[in-house]
Amino acid sequence: MLLDVIERKPESGGGLSKPPVVFLHGLFGRARNFGFFQRRIGEFRRTLALDLRNHGDSPHGPADYPTMAEDVYETLKAHDAIPAVIVGHSMGGKTAMMLALRHPAAVERLLVADIAPGAGGFQQNHTLAAALAALPFPASLNRTEADALLSRVIPEADVRNLMLQNLRLGKNPGWTIGIHEIASAMPEIVGWPPVPQETNFTGRTLFVSGGKSRYIQPSNYPEMKHLFPHYHLETIPDAGHWLHAEKPMEFLSILEGFLNELAL
């Protein structure tokens, strides 16, 4: 499946000899959520932000991490963007890890934001997806009414704001994302598929965790080391799971440092 892509290139034309930087969003997100980082990194590097399947403007279909990784691989090949630096948050981070494990030559280096390889994360979203899929829509809907509708199942205003980007307002309102496909895929999204024992990615890998988040735990370190033997871990102390949205300048500084490091 070819995915929808937002691409930026430096106006000067410089930096195009370096591997492009690819951004993969988290659950219920979309490519444009990385707009700030695309604008900043795009000043000196080619960048691509992808809508993963069932999200944004990409097609819908059954989802699991091997399938989503193949979507990304096919899309990057179609855009002549291999090898690339892959930056993935949450669900996008698991997709990025799976891409690196299945197609290591396609990944120059890997940054994974607040998720670990293995089952876990997304606990509140496990039931949320089904609840959102079951919401009844009226004949028409404006933004204020949509916020009230979502408040039935999402008490947090910031989470509602995230979900509002996935709604079609006006007459005949509804979801623009594959909400039913996402709800059906939640066991796979929460989980992590079996990986052959001999499989690993030996490229430079950076995990970035939020100090207030519990998505990366010491119990994950052995599997992180096994699958990504050259990994490092950095923490943004006062950030939660949405660390790049909560602490954009801190995340940008880490990302820029990572891009400028010499390859192993």
Side-chain angles (χ1 to χ4, degrees):
M1 179 185 290
L2 293 180
L3 304 173
D4 190 70
V5 177
I6 299 174
E7 182 172 353
R8 289 182 177 271
K9 295 180 180 179
E11 292 183 3
S12 65
L16 296 181
S17 62
K18 298 179 180 179
V21 181
V22 175
F23 296 96
L24 305 179
H25 62 80
L27 182 64
F28 299 131
R30 61 190 308 163
R32 69 187 187 197
N33 295 155
F34 278 105
F36 168 74
F37 302 99
Q38 269 206 285
R39 289 190 294 273
R40 295 295 293 267
I41 301 301
E43 294 176 5
F44 57 91
R45 292 279 281 268
R46 181 188 179 200
T47 64
L48 301 91
L50 279 56
D51 284 331
L52 296 175
R53 69 164 53 202
N54 299 316
H55 291 76
D57 295 321
S58 286
H60 301 168
D64 56 46
Y65 288 114
T67 300
M68 289 192 285
E70 291 305 312
D71 291 345
V72 174
Y73 182 64
E74 291 177 16
T75 302
L76 296 185
K77 282 200 303 180
H79 285 262
D80 193 24
I82 289 177
V85 178
I86 309 295
V87 180
H89 170 249
S90 197
M91 181 188 73
K94 285 191 175 183
T95 303
M97 288 187 281
M98 187 57 62
L99 173 67
L101 294 170
R102 292 172 68 94
H103 298 285
V107 180
E108 194 269 339
R109 60 184 60 192
L110 176 67
L111 189 154
V112 179
D114 209 58
I115 201 69
F122 317 104
Q123 287 87 350
Q124 67 176 4
N125 293 315
H126 202 303
T127 56
L128 175 59
L132 292 171
L135 277 178
F137 284 92
S140 65
L141 198 67
N142 61 33
R143 186 176 178 87
T144 300
E145 294 166 338
D147 185 70
L149 178 66
L150 293 181
S151 69
R152 298 182 189 180
V153 294
I154 305 175
E156 303 89 354
D158 56 342
V159 181
R160 290 201 303 277
N161 286 332
L162 172 69
M163 291 307 305
L164 282 168
Q165 71 180 351
N166 297 318
L167 282 178
R168 181 180 63 254
L169 302 178
K171 294 183 178 180
N172 190 30
W175 296 107
T176 59
I177 58 174
I179 190 66
H180 295 285
E181 291 86 350
I182 292 170
S184 296
M186 281 309 300
E188 287 75 25
I189 293 172
V190 172
W192 177 251
V195 177
Q197 181 66 24
E198 68 278 7
T199 301
N200 64 19
F201 173 70
T202 59
R204 180 76 172 89
T205 302
L206 177 63
F207 288 88
V208 183
S209 67
K212 295 180 179 179
S213 173
R214 297 184 57 80
Y215 278 53
I216 298 178
Q217 292 292 307
S219 59
N220 298 123
Y221 297 168
E223 188 68 0
M224 290 160 60
K225 185 66 175 178
H226 172 66
L227 295 176
F228 306 97
H230 298 297
Y231 92 86
H232 291 269
L233 174 65
E234 291 195 37
T235 299
I236 300 178
D238 295 325
H241 180 57
W242 292 89
L243 66 179
H244 59 303
E246 297 173 26
K247 299 289 182 179
M249 297 310 298
E250 291 86 341
F251 188 81
L252 177 64
S253 178
I254 290 172
L255 174 57
E256 289 179 330
F258 182 64
L259 293 176
N260 292 329
E261 286 181 359
L262 296 176
L264 293 171

